[in-house]
Amino acid sequence: MSESTHPLTYQRDLRGLTRVDLADLIRVAARRRGLRSGVDKQRIRKWEVLGVMPDAANQIYIAEALDLPIELVEPDTWPHWLPLSDGGVVPFGSSSSVTALREALKTAMDPQRRAVLALSGSALTALAGSWAGGAQPATLVTHLSDGTLVGDDTVTMLEDSVRRLNALATDQRQHFAALMDAHLTTVTNLIGHSRYDRTTGLRLHLLASTLAQTVAWHRFDHGRHTAAGQLWIAALHSAHATNDTDLGAAMLGDLAYQAAWRRDHAIAASLLQHALVRTEHPAARSLLHLRLARTLAAQGEKRAALRALTAAEHHLGVSSGIPRPTWCAWMSEAVMRSVNLSQPEGVSTPQGA
């Protein structure tokens, strides 16, 4: 889906429906309730092209016409309740960071939506390929006439709070899961509905990325894999908006870990290979090569696995003079020595090598 495609247009095109076809189906949905709908192709054009919002009743009819669960309908959030991506994966675009965050939050909170938006491996690799190819980052400065300017004190307070939450031991974070969700919702709303300069935009997107990553691991640990995947995708979009390629690579690495945990090693290897295209810090490259070595070994590609392991050892020994990204700060020679290529990737503790 291109960045300019309206979600309703996407859903209609996905089913091969013209505007006339969709109008007919909406009228049928109304008749099933003993009601009448005056929707025609011109009305649908207004929804898709002119930004007109359908009333609550018509949104329910739209869901029925598209064979989507009624539980997805949230009239006040139109058109964001509509699934808007191939395989549950939001593509990169000028405002995709907010879209991806909203999709992730909805999926994390709504069991029905998790069933609808199962992630496609091919869509994930396509997203990773787009990232590796240097997709255009999201716009960081909003120009909403009614948006409130975000103050420095607000962002600093959120940064301090998130830093303390992320510093908690993993087994303690479960007590603050709802608070982390609330923080992520707050940051998403600030990005989507407020005004800010570039510096503040960078800080908000960095917050969104680190928060979404933490919340994703919480969902992963509790077996909610579709929600975790959506959150890592959202974190990737937010990292991409900051142009922090190492942070973006971390999110692809987490998605690869999840794929390997599911024993989908071909997808895991593809994600890691795309991640390595733009990873800069040697420690980050070392960790990603290590994960690649293990997932290649799981596929029986021992020679390629040994090459990846050699690359991991090489990059670990390179000094960059720049502090390591926090997500790979623990990478060490001891970790390298403990690697067993006969153990499939995804068996060890989450977030490990």
Side-chain angles (χ1 to χ4, degrees):
M1 184 181 75
S2 72
E3 64 186 66
S4 60
T5 301
H6 191 280
L8 181 58
T9 307
Y10 172 77
Q11 286 294 325
R12 182 170 55 76
D13 290 346
L14 192 64
R15 292 160 176 78
L17 299 173
T18 66
R19 286 175 179 154
V20 172
D21 295 332
L22 181 56
D24 289 342
L25 291 171
I26 289 172
R27 291 195 295 270
V28 168
R31 283 199 298 271
R32 279 198 291 265
R33 290 172 164 77
L35 302 171
R36 295 182 61 185
S37 172
V39 170
D40 55 18
K41 67 177 184 180
Q42 287 79 19
R43 182 76 62 83
I44 291 173
R45 182 182 181 278
K46 290 180 179 179
W47 296 341
E48 295 180 344
V49 178
L50 302 181
V52 175
M53 177 185 291
D55 61 28
N58 274 318
Q59 291 192 44
I60 291 173
Y61 304 155
I62 289 168
E64 288 194 359
L66 297 173
D67 197 27
L68 292 170
I70 300 301
E71 291 79 8
L72 291 183
V73 179
E74 295 181 23
D76 292 341
T77 68
W78 172 269
H80 300 296
W81 61 260
L82 285 164
L84 41 61
S85 55
D86 290 314
V89 177
V90 175
F92 290 114
S94 60
S95 60
S96 63
S97 59
V98 174
T99 301
L101 285 163
R102 285 174 173 159
E103 283 290 291
L105 286 166
K106 288 179 181 294
T107 305
M109 306 298 179
D110 187 346
Q112 184 67 54
R113 197 174 187 88
R114 291 197 294 275
V116 173
L117 296 180
L119 297 177
S120 158
S122 60
L124 279 175
T125 56
L127 184 73
S130 178
W131 178 87
Q136 179 67 31
T139 302
L140 291 181
V141 181
T142 65
H143 300 283
L144 299 177
S145 59
D146 58 346
T148 302
L149 185 67
V150 180
D152 183 74
D153 289 347
T154 298
V155 182
T156 299
M157 182 274 291
L158 285 167
E159 288 171 338
D160 290 343
S161 181
V162 170
R163 192 176 298 112
R164 288 195 294 271
L165 287 170
N166 282 336
L168 293 170
T170 301
D171 62 345
Q172 293 299 305
R173 290 180 188 169
Q174 61 182 321
H175 303 306
F176 297 91
L179 184 57
M180 288 183 175
D181 289 346
H183 275 57
L184 183 57
T185 299
T186 297
V187 173
T188 299
N189 289 336
L190 287 174
I191 293 173
H193 297 298
S194 302
R195 292 184 293 114
Y196 41 82
D197 59 22
R198 179 173 177 79
T199 299
T200 301
L202 287 168
R203 292 169 68 189
L204 288 171
H205 279 83
L206 179 60
L207 269 174
S209 187
T210 55
L211 259 174
Q213 184 186 35
T214 300
V215 175
W217 278 111
H218 178 265
R219 296 302 196 277
F220 178 90
D221 289 341
H222 287 78
R224 296 173 58 181
H225 293 286
T226 299
Q230 289 284 4
L231 285 157
W232 277 316
I233 290 168
L236 173 63
H237 278 266
S238 295
H240 184 56
T242 71
N243 204 30
D244 187 333
T245 55
D246 283 345
L247 186 59
M251 307 315 163
L252 288 177
D254 289 349
L255 286 163
Y257 185 98
Q258 181 183 46
W261 186 89
R262 290 174 160 174
R263 301 298 189 265
D264 196 344
H265 293 287
I267 295 297
S270 178
L271 293 173
L272 289 165
Q273 287 160 348
H274 283 307
L276 281 163
V277 170
R278 298 180 68 193
T279 307
E280 297 181 357
H281 198 285
R285 295 188 65 81
S286 178
L287 175 55
L288 293 176
H289 273 295
L290 179 58
R291 287 185 170 180
L292 180 60
R294 294 186 63 181
T295 203
L296 289 171
Q299 296 178 80
E301 299 182 25
K302 295 298 178 66
R303 186 170 298 178
L306 288 171
R307 286 198 298 269
L309 185 59
T310 299
E313 292 173 339
H314 166 74
H315 288 294
L316 187 61
V318 174
S319 175
S320 70
I322 301 172
R324 291 184 178 188
T326 55
W327 60 275
C328 60
W330 50 269
M331 188 64 177
S332 67
E333 291 184 6
V335 171
M336 292 293 302
R337 288 194 297 270
S338 69
V339 172
N340 178 5
L341 291 183
S342 66
Q343 181 186 33
E345 166 75 341
V347 173
S348 59
T349 303
Q351 301 194 61

